[in-house]
Amino acid sequence: MAGQRVLTLAVGMGSVTAVASLLLALGYQKLPFRAPSQLVAVWERGKPGATVEAISGPDMADLAAGTQGVFSMLAGFITQQLTLADWIGYSKISTCGIRPSGFATLGMAPVLGRGLSPDDAPIGPAGFASAWISEQLWRTRFGSNPAVLGRVVRVGIGPTAAAANQFRIVGVLPGTAALPLPFATGGLDLWYLMPDMRGRARAAPGLFGVGRLRPGVSTEEARAALRSVTDRLGARYAFDRHKLPVVASFEEIAEGPVRRTMGLLTLGIGLVFLIACGNTAISMATEAAHMRRELAIRMALGANRWQLWKGAAADDCGLTAAALVAGLGLAWLLERLLTQLLPAAGLAAPMLAPGLSAAVLVAFSIFALGAAAAWSAILVASAGIGGSAQALGGGPGAPNGDGFGRARLLLLSAQAAIGICLFTAAALAARTYAAASAAQLGPAPQDTVMLDAAPASNADLSDAQAVLFKQQLASRLARLPGVQQLALADRLPPSGAPATFLEPSDPAATLRAATPPLAVTSGFFRVLGIPVLYGRGLADSDDRSAAQRVAVVNLELAQHNWPDSQAAVGSLIQLGTKPDQQYRVVGVVGNFTGYWFQQPVPEIYVPEAESTYQSATVIMRTSARTGAVSGLAREALSGMANAPTISNLCTMQSAWQATLTRPMARMLGMLLLALLGLGLAVQGVAAAASAIVAARSCELAVRSALGADPGALTWSVTRLPVFAVSAGGAVGAVASLGLDPMLAHWLGPLAQGRLEPIAAAVALLALVALAGCYFPARAAARTSPAALLRQG
């Protein structure tokens, strides 16, 4: 019994302290901005659950002017994936263009170089604009060389290489300095200052907002103020303004996923700990049935209750102290193990162990020692109930007449209720993971290889050279051993950022929702198994130099913009605001969400010749191993005039699995905790059932010897524990329904609960209680009273 109590407390303290310490370190670490709790991101949404929509430059200016009472600053920014050209070569990078006021209010402290200066001007037609790179790009691309300061790089801001802007690197920002958005929570490689966009078309959204709330202002108040301004704009302008402003704090967007994962696991560990406490209480109640006799004898010999309590408390607190020391060592080991495992699961960046939380250690120690002292007092007090003579004459069966029998039944109910809650949370985490992992990956995703290829030289390629580069790239890779199909795309996965298009006949300022067009070769739809529903797909002969540019749209876009999806074929659409960007829709293809979208988004596909990138993403289905593809591809491409660099090589399957690290961690963690908790609950139920039968063994034997039916006797003992477990299961089922809002917050909108796991867990625990009582009770009822008396 003593060993079980020490082990239970040690495991409880170690797990709770380690997870709580990591939760505080990971889920609540400070963002690298000045007063980050006041920073918010702002965007618009057409309807609840709809695609995130950007804001136009004039609208952003009006929103900032009309909400000065709630925002001390509100400025626009834009994130883009562009091409960096420097002395090393070409590379795709994530960039952020932001207004000077927005950059200044973030208050990021560079790890190298300087911050914002009054002389820094936004990008323009001439001169070198100032730029700041991320610490990650500085380390991975430039080898942490301080000489990068002052170097000039070119970044393709415009649609062609000729329109690339030149930037002078003046500082290196912390590696975690990113503006969090729901669809772009990754890091940003390069920051630059953006010019004023209020002169742009009001119907051309492209910006998101970064704002700093005034002290005491909540996100709800900021949202209401923005809504008031958008309502005024809707009354003033004729085009559709039925949008809802969205305001989300940086901390919730950036840290929410980690907090949800750690919070869910903390709930699971807490429930397991409560089950373990129940097991300990059951074992202590069983031990008390024997100790009461010893205490009663000592009281009959003249010992007072104070002396008895001091002795019992010294023993219990000594065991508890030993358990706390063991738990401290276990917590130290668990924290270091989890510190290594969490980055591998995608839940955190590599980090040093943050150290155990002193507050958690002190609180746990006070709770454990206080519980031990209180239990000793209860035990001593119960020994004198009814007088010493009654306790002395009771024997093993006496506890059935006191409160210990009822206490075991209550503990059985509590064990079952807590176990049901834990099992329900684990089942919900598993179902959420199953829903999140339901992705379209095309045929044979384990054999679909993706890689990025870019010219290794740092010279700009002309349009003709870029076309030739990609043609040679596709031709050489298609001849690799095992390659069955191949296609190029300017990026993969597609951008989830919002964009718009219109038909030439649309009224002025019409907004039709889309995403930025994806430039692909003709084999793209075949490689990914996307069916052509109406019209045709893209052909190799489609070229932007033709008299009429062509495009293909997906079913999601066609259904929302034409009365009949088939009617989209033959329609003219215009991307952007210039008439020369008109495209003829030649086909409608099926929706392909891939692993990057949970719901279909409106997609426009254009020929790969329309790509503004000099690099390309290659998608090929091959029977060769992924490791072999890397070496074969480099060998095949080595003789090109502009030999490319290859990066980001992976299979569609592995890329998809990399996006599931958090839901997988939640599922696996909760399943392991549920199995542990269920095992402890089964053990506790069986121990309590056996103790109840043992307490009535003499009674059963005597009544059986006097002629009572053994079956009826067995059922009279069995029915109470089974009823207690069933009642506890019902309470747990109701309590699990109360946990639904909390679990939905931690698991996300895909969380879908079911009653089947609850029913299965209740049935299992009831069967354990039935078996734990029935067989010992049956054996006791068939034992002679004389044999029991000789044993006692």
Side-chain angles (χ1 to χ4, degrees):
M1 291 297 179
Q4 182 179 357
R5 288 169 58 185
V6 170
L7 180 61
T8 299
L9 285 173
V11 171
M13 180 180 184
S15 57
V16 170
T17 303
V19 172
S21 299
L22 281 177
L23 174 64
L24 295 173
L26 294 177
Y28 298 91
Q29 58 184 338
K30 188 176 180 180
L31 295 176
F33 306 115
R34 176 174 56 83
S37 60
Q38 296 177 331
L39 291 174
V40 296
V42 178
W43 65 90
E44 290 184 325
R45 179 173 290 147
K47 58 181 180 180
T51 302
V52 173
E53 297 184 23
I55 306 170
S56 69
D59 281 358
M60 184 65 72
D62 288 338
L63 291 175
T67 57
Q68 293 182 3
V70 296
F71 291 103
S72 61
M73 186 284 309
L74 178 62
F77 71 92
I78 184 171
T79 58
Q80 295 173 289
Q81 190 179 56
L82 302 173
T83 301
L84 169 70
D86 57 14
W87 60 96
I88 298 175
Y90 286 95
S91 178
K92 288 182 181 179
I93 62 171
S94 298
T95 66
C96 177
I98 187 170
R99 291 290 296 148
S101 59
F103 190 77
T105 198
L106 291 176
M108 291 181 288
V111 298
L112 183 70
R114 64 172 178 83
L116 184 67
S117 168
D119 298 331
D120 293 321
I123 57 172
F128 300 141
S130 299
W132 294 261
I133 61 174
S134 70
E135 187 176 10
Q136 180 180 8
L137 184 68
W138 178 53
R139 294 186 185 281
T140 57
R141 185 173 181 84
F142 303 116
S144 301
N145 187 354
V148 72
L149 296 180
R151 291 287 194 110
V152 175
V153 298
R154 289 177 296 115
V155 178
I157 303 294
T160 64
N165 288 79
Q166 299 188 83
F167 295 96
R168 189 183 302 280
I169 300 174
V170 298
V172 177
L173 299 177
T176 55
L179 291 179
L181 286 173
F183 58 84
T185 55
L188 294 168
D189 299 314
L190 183 141
W191 297 61
Y192 62 91
L193 303 180
M194 187 176 59
D196 193 349
M197 306 287 282
R198 71 181 65 195
R200 302 292 182 90
R202 189 173 289 273
L207 301 177
F208 298 94
V210 54
R212 181 173 292 279
L213 299 176
R214 294 190 181 277
V217 176
S218 66
T219 55
E220 290 75 15
E221 292 172 325
R223 189 180 301 114
L226 290 171
R227 182 62 183 270
S228 177
V229 177
T230 57
D231 288 344
R232 291 199 300 270
L233 291 176
R236 183 176 179 182
Y237 298 100
F239 57 89
D240 181 17
R241 296 214 45 91
H242 300 294
K243 298 180 183 179
L244 301 174
V246 179
V247 181
S249 71
F250 274 23
E251 291 181 340
E252 171 58 28
I253 298 175
E255 301 170 359
V258 174
R259 291 184 182 183
R260 287 192 291 272
T261 298
M262 299 299 290
L264 181 67
L265 296 181
T266 300
L267 171 67
I269 288 179
L271 292 175
V272 169
F273 176 69
L274 289 177
I275 293 174
C277 287
N279 276 5
T280 303
I282 289 173
S283 66
M284 293 175 74
T286 303
E287 181 184 359
H290 303 281
M291 288 187 63
R292 286 181 69 233
R293 185 179 181 87
E294 175 188 348
L295 292 173
I297 293 174
R298 294 176 64 183
M299 290 178 67
L301 294 176
N304 60 43
R305 294 190 179 188
W306 170 248
Q307 292 173 325
L308 293 177
W309 177 81
K310 285 196 301 182
D315 292 340
D316 283 339
C317 290
L319 286 175
T320 301
L324 293 177
V325 173
L328 181 62
L330 180 61
W332 184 86
L333 291 174
L334 280 176
E335 185 198 34
R336 275 146 184 78
L337 178 62
L338 291 174
T339 303
Q340 299 299 318
L341 292 180
L342 289 179
L347 296 173
M351 60 181 295
L352 297 175
L356 299 177
S357 170
V360 175
L361 287 172
V362 171
F364 195 99
S365 300
I366 292 175
F367 165 77
L369 293 172
W375 171 252
S376 300
I378 293 173
L379 185 59
V380 171
S382 66
I385 295 177
S388 301
Q390 180 178 343
L392 288 170
N400 200 41
D402 58 28
F404 287 111
R406 291 187 294 273
R408 291 192 189 99
L409 293 176
L410 290 176
L411 287 172
L412 276 176
S413 298
Q415 288 273 62
I418 299 170
I420 295 303
C421 290
L422 180 61
F423 199 78
T424 302
L428 194 56
R431 294 189 66 87
T432 304
Y433 171 74
S437 60
Q440 289 179 276
L441 303 177
Q446 70 278 4
D447 297 327
T448 304
V449 176
M450 303 181 295
L451 60 89
D452 290 334
S457 71
N458 60 359
D460 267 340
L461 302 182
S462 65
D463 289 346
Q465 288 174 325
V467 170
L468 179 61
F469 168 77
K470 294 178 182 180
Q471 288 176 345
Q472 290 180 341
L473 182 69
S475 175
R476 293 184 178 223
L477 292 179
R479 295 196 298 267
L480 291 179
V483 173
Q484 302 160 2
Q485 293 179 333
L486 182 142
L488 300 184
D490 61 356
R491 63 188 184 276
L492 199 71
S495 171
T500 59
F501 76 98
L502 52 87
E503 293 187 78
S505 59
D506 285 336
T510 298
L511 296 176
R512 294 177 181 263
T515 52
L518 183 63
V520 301
T521 58
S522 59
F524 180 82
F525 304 118
R526 292 191 299 273
V527 172
L528 296 181
I530 305 174
V532 178
L533 303 178
Y534 308 110
R536 67 172 178 88
L538 297 174
D540 292 335
S541 57
D542 294 328
D543 192 281
R544 64 179 174 183
S545 61
Q548 178 64 67
R549 297 181 179 182
V550 300
V552 170
V553 300
N554 72 341
L555 185 62
E556 176 74 10
L557 186 140
Q559 287 177 333
H560 286 82
N561 291 279
W562 287 273
D564 178 14
S565 299
Q566 191 170 358
V569 178
S571 301
L572 276 178
I573 60 174
Q574 180 175 311
L575 306 180
T577 58
K578 298 181 180 179
D580 62 352
Q581 292 178 312
Q582 290 186 355
Y583 293 77
R584 178 77 63 183
V585 177
V586 297
V588 177
V589 298
N591 297 325
F592 186 80
T593 59
Y595 62 84
W596 40 87
F597 298 120
Q598 283 293 335
Q599 300 294 331
V601 296
E603 283 281 1
I604 301 174
Y605 301 95
V606 298
E608 207 283 327
E610 299 282 340
S611 174
T612 61
Y613 296 104
Q614 298 194 0
S615 57
T617 297
V618 182
I619 312 107
M620 52 186 171
R621 194 180 308 156
T622 175
S623 59
R625 293 182 297 106
T626 306
V629 170
S630 177
L632 292 172
R634 287 182 170 83
E635 182 179 349
L637 300 176
S638 61
M640 291 176 56
N642 292 289
T645 57
I646 295 177
S647 60
N648 301 328
L649 189 148
C650 63
T651 65
M652 179 74 76
Q653 183 88 12
S654 62
W656 164 66
Q657 290 174 340
T659 67
L660 297 174
T661 53
R662 286 194 176 101
M664 183 182 296
R666 293 167 187 155
M667 179 195 69
L668 293 178
M670 287 305 297
L671 285 180
L672 290 174
L673 291 172
L675 291 176
L676 177 60
L678 195 60
L680 290 173
V682 167
Q683 177 190 359
V685 168
S690 299
I692 290 173
V693 173
R696 297 185 60 184
S697 57
C698 288
E699 174 195 349
L700 293 174
V702 171
R703 292 177 64 182
S704 177
L706 295 175
D709 180 39
L713 289 176
T714 302
W715 175 243
S716 69
V717 177
T718 303
R719 60 187 176 86
L720 287 178
V722 172
F723 174 77
V725 169
S726 301
V731 172
V734 174
S736 65
L737 297 177
L739 290 176
D740 278 353
M742 183 187 303
L743 294 175
H745 171 73
W746 282 334
L747 294 171
L750 296 177
Q752 298 178 354
R754 292 291 187 272
L755 295 178
E756 295 88 342
I758 300 177
V762 172
L764 175 62
L765 292 176
L767 285 175
V768 170
L770 178 63
C773 282
Y774 178 79
F775 293 106
R778 183 181 179 187
R782 294 183 177 182
T783 303
S784 66
L788 286 175
L789 290 174
R790 285 195 298 268
Q791 295 174 7

